[in-house]
Amino acid sequence: MVFRPRGVLSEKRIRTIVKMLDDAENEAAKPFNRFSDLSQLFAVDLDIEAALRVSLHRQKTYATRAPVKSAFYVTTEAVARLAKIHGLVMESSYLSVKIFETIGKAARWLRVPKEMLALDPTVS
């Protein structure tokens, strides 16, 4: 699964995304890795408490699931901080989180072609 948010990342938006992800995981025939390209965010409107709530929810959700990987491509320190918080909380779960500054390194970790992650269907 590839996720490419644009604009402002808010708590409301994160809750919507997590709901979508929870539903996709529950419906999936097998576990899947995910890639979040956070390079198109121009603002983060999320406090640390909200970030922790989301991460704790995901940790609880993933307590009994098969191991998967979640790669975050970040280009700003503000976004990297949020991804780091999420990664720290998820350390005791089956969801392995890593942060990358290049798409190529994320692709190698996820074991997919770089083009698969670099392809943005919203750009023609």
Side-chain angles (χ1 to χ4, degrees):
M1 175 178 276
V2 175
F3 174 60
R4 286 190 173 84
R6 298 178 188 283
V8 178
L9 190 60
S10 65
E11 182 175 2
K12 181 179 177 182
R13 194 165 178 199
I14 289 282
R15 280 195 310 263
T16 301
I17 293 162
V18 167
K19 169 83 169 91
M20 178 201 68
L21 185 56
D22 287 345
D23 291 346
E25 289 169 343
N26 289 332
E27 294 172 11
K30 63 180 189 170
F32 56 88
N33 293 332
R34 62 280 330 251
F35 173 72
S36 298
D37 177 350
L38 305 180
S39 65
Q40 298 302 309
L41 293 174
F42 61 78
V44 177
D45 184 19
L46 193 67
D47 62 32
I48 188 120
E49 289 177 13
L52 285 171
R53 273 194 305 275
V54 169
S55 293
L56 289 169
H57 166 77
R58 296 299 297 149
Q59 181 189 49
K60 180 180 175 186
T61 301
Y62 244 86
T64 59
R65 295 187 186 256
V68 296
K69 296 177 179 178
S70 183
F72 287 88
Y73 170 54
V74 300
T75 56
T76 67
E77 187 54 39
V79 173
R81 275 193 300 272
L82 286 176
K84 286 175 188 173
I85 290 168
H86 184 61
L88 287 170
V89 172
M90 299 310 292
E91 281 183 356
S92 61
S93 77
Y94 290 113
L95 183 63
S96 179
V97 174
K98 282 200 178 189
I99 301 162
F100 298 91
E101 294 180 358
T102 68
I103 291 176
K105 288 181 181 178
R108 280 192 295 282
W109 185 64
L110 292 171
R111 295 189 173 141
V112 298
K114 177 182 173 181
E115 296 75 24
M116 179 183 272
L117 301 183
L119 179 64
D120 186 346
T122 63
V123 177
S124 45

